[in-house]
Amino acid sequence: MAVILNEERLMIQTMVRKFARDVLIPTASERDRSCEYPRANLEQMAELGLLGMMVPESYGGAGVDAVSHAVALSEIAYGCASTAVVMSVHNSICCESLLKFGSEEQKQRWFPPMCSGECIGAFGLTEPHAGSDPVAQKTTAVLDGDHWILNGTKQFITSGQHAGVIIVTAVTDKAKRHRGISAFLVPQGAPGLTIGPKEDKMGLRASDTVSLIFEECRIPKESMLGKPGEGFRLAMTALDSGRIGIAAQSVGVAQACLDEALEYTNAREQFGRPVSDFQGIRWYLAEMATKIEAARLLCFNAALLKDEGKRYTIEASMAKMFASEMVNQVADKALQMHGGYGYCKEYPIERHYRDARVFSIYEGTNEIQRIVISNGLLGPTSKP
């Protein structure tokens, strides 16, 4: 770990850890109850350089590497998972897509407000009937003179209500299947864009998740992100980066669960001694700590490969799959150690348990991750 966390990364970790504990943790439970969007948190995070972390300094970003972002994201998730998911989508998916596929004009327009926190990014890929199969999406974009006309619906869009810009994929040539999908930068308030009601979610309740309805939504011709037909490749590239983000979030929440369990079992006495004295509890804690460390290293490995410019698709899927399943196991064990108190909202473990559940679902279910990994090992399955 010491080799991975050099002096600069340790400084980032120290700064973000202090922010998470001083600012995020004291109000996280209240945000969970009220479902209040963490706008104030994001404004302070922008001042710390945590929005647009991997964006070059010339565009207003912090210009740090993917490992540093993973370190920071884990610390934010430790304090508030709802705030972390907004940060992850904004940085890992939106800023990264704009950096890789955007024109110079698009970068000059969008990066300064995105890095300053004035404009949060959202990503519109999933549809009501096209989740794990993005090629089946039905949202269309038709060129009409100097404008694209979008029609369709996107589902489960993180930050969709509060985002200043949304990257949206849409079919521009149905006959070409995945090569006929393009991507667009859609500003909030675009004519013909309607924001659906917020989903009433189990966890991550302070981050808004909504549907986006496009009805003859008109955006300028220059709004296409990348070239025609590059939308599917853009989405897959973005998801590789986003899966590192989910692994980092999972590590942060899992570490919070472990720390809660350590504190509670040391303080709670049964049969005349601390619960942490019992061998069964000690072994559970040892297994939890080991799994967290393994997930952290898988996350860092994928991030290091990304920083070196190497392919990291399989490694990102491994990190996402393992870490998201790990955090659910750790949260379950930590709640069990709290006994009946763990089932009550008075203790943070109840919130962590609910927040953790979605990590194995979004940005590609873990069933999809197994397909990605096995295809990397064996190649695609034989077609009939």
Side-chain angles (χ1 to χ4, degrees):
M1 187 67 68
V3 175
I4 298 173
L5 295 186
N6 57 26
E7 184 176 353
E8 180 182 2
R9 292 165 183 160
L10 283 171
M11 288 176 61
I12 291 171
Q13 183 183 55
T14 301
M15 175 190 72
V16 183
R17 180 171 292 178
K18 185 177 189 311
F19 171 79
R21 284 154 176 73
D22 292 351
V23 178
L24 299 185
I25 289 178
T27 55
S29 293
E30 178 54 36
R31 276 192 304 278
D32 177 69
R33 284 190 290 270
S34 68
C35 299
E36 181 184 356
Y37 183 71
R39 187 179 304 280
N41 293 345
L42 295 169
E43 290 174 355
Q44 293 182 68
M45 288 162 62
E47 293 175 2
L48 294 173
L50 300 181
L51 302 182
M53 285 190 75
M54 295 175 284
V55 175
E57 294 181 17
S58 57
Y59 294 115
V64 302
D65 57 21
V67 175
S68 297
H69 177 252
V71 168
L73 186 55
S74 290
E75 296 297 335
I76 295 295
Y78 183 102
C80 176
S82 291
T83 303
V85 69
V86 176
M87 173 184 170
S88 183
V89 172
H90 177 82
N91 279 331
S92 304
I93 295 184
C94 297
C95 288
E96 285 286 283
S97 295
L98 183 58
L99 186 62
K100 286 184 170 64
F101 293 89
S103 67
E104 184 61 27
E105 183 180 354
Q106 289 169 336
K107 294 174 184 178
Q108 294 286 352
R109 177 186 177 186
W110 290 111
F111 272 144
M114 292 177 79
C115 296
S116 70
E118 177 187 343
C119 174
I120 296 298
F123 187 63
L125 173 65
T126 299
E127 297 188 1
H129 302 289
S132 296
D133 182 11
V135 178
Q137 64 185 281
K138 296 179 180 179
T139 298
T140 60
V142 177
L143 189 60
D144 178 25
D146 292 332
H147 290 82
W148 288 99
I149 310 299
L150 274 62
N151 283 284
T153 301
K154 296 296 181 178
Q155 187 75 18
F156 302 133
I157 308 305
T158 298
S159 300
Q161 181 180 7
H162 292 90
V165 65
I166 308 158
I167 297 175
V168 178
T169 59
V171 176
T172 49
D173 189 340
K174 188 176 181 179
K176 293 183 179 180
R177 291 182 51 76
H178 71 281
R179 291 186 176 86
I181 297 172
S182 302
F184 302 88
L185 290 162
V186 181
Q188 190 72 268
L193 168 60
T194 302
I195 308 299
K198 289 203 307 183
E199 300 290 345
D200 189 8
K201 300 176 298 183
M202 175 193 294
L204 302 181
R205 293 179 59 79
S207 72
D208 60 297
T209 302
V210 299
S211 58
L212 305 174
I213 300 96
F214 299 91
E215 297 175 306
E216 299 295 306
C217 177
R218 298 180 67 87
I219 56 175
K221 184 178 179 180
E222 302 77 33
S223 299
M224 179 176 282
L225 182 59
K227 298 175 183 177
E230 279 193 326
F232 183 81
R233 185 165 74 88
L234 179 149
M236 296 304 102
T237 302
L239 289 175
D240 283 348
S241 179
R243 286 162 186 165
I244 298 176
I246 294 175
Q249 293 171 68
S250 299
V251 168
V253 173
Q255 188 66 56
C257 291
L258 175 60
D259 289 353
E260 292 289 339
L262 287 167
E263 181 179 353
Y264 184 84
T265 56
N266 274 319
R268 175 73 167 172
E269 290 191 1
Q270 292 288 277
F271 306 103
R273 53 180 174 151
V275 172
S276 59
D277 272 3
F278 294 94
Q279 186 180 64
I281 296 295
R282 298 174 78 87
W283 284 14
Y284 276 150
L285 292 168
E287 290 171 1
M288 291 157 67
T290 302
K291 289 178 180 179
I292 293 170
E293 190 68 7
R296 182 180 285 114
L297 291 173
L298 280 170
C299 176
F300 286 168
N301 179 58
L304 282 168
L305 289 173
K306 179 184 175 185
D307 287 333
E308 293 171 359
K310 299 176 181 177
R311 282 187 61 86
Y312 63 96
T313 296
I314 295 174
E315 289 79 7
S317 286
M318 288 178 172
K320 191 271 188 188
M321 181 184 73
F322 183 86
S324 62
E325 294 182 359
M326 173 277 298
V327 69
N328 278 279
Q329 295 164 4
V330 168
D332 179 72
K333 283 289 188 288
L335 191 150
Q336 186 73 15
M337 290 179 196
H338 280 71
Y341 292 110
Y343 203 65
C344 301
K345 291 185 181 293
E346 176 185 355
Y347 285 80
I349 189 61
E350 184 271 343
R351 170 170 49 86
H352 297 324
Y353 184 87
R354 289 184 288 104
D355 286 342
R357 186 60 188 87
V358 76
F359 292 155
S360 62
I361 297 174
Y362 69 173
E363 290 187 33
T365 64
N366 281 5
E367 289 70 27
I368 292 296
Q369 305 316 311
R370 286 171 166 82
I371 292 173
V372 172
I373 296 165
S374 60
N375 282 352
L377 296 173
L378 301 166
T381 57
S382 300
K383 296 182 179 179

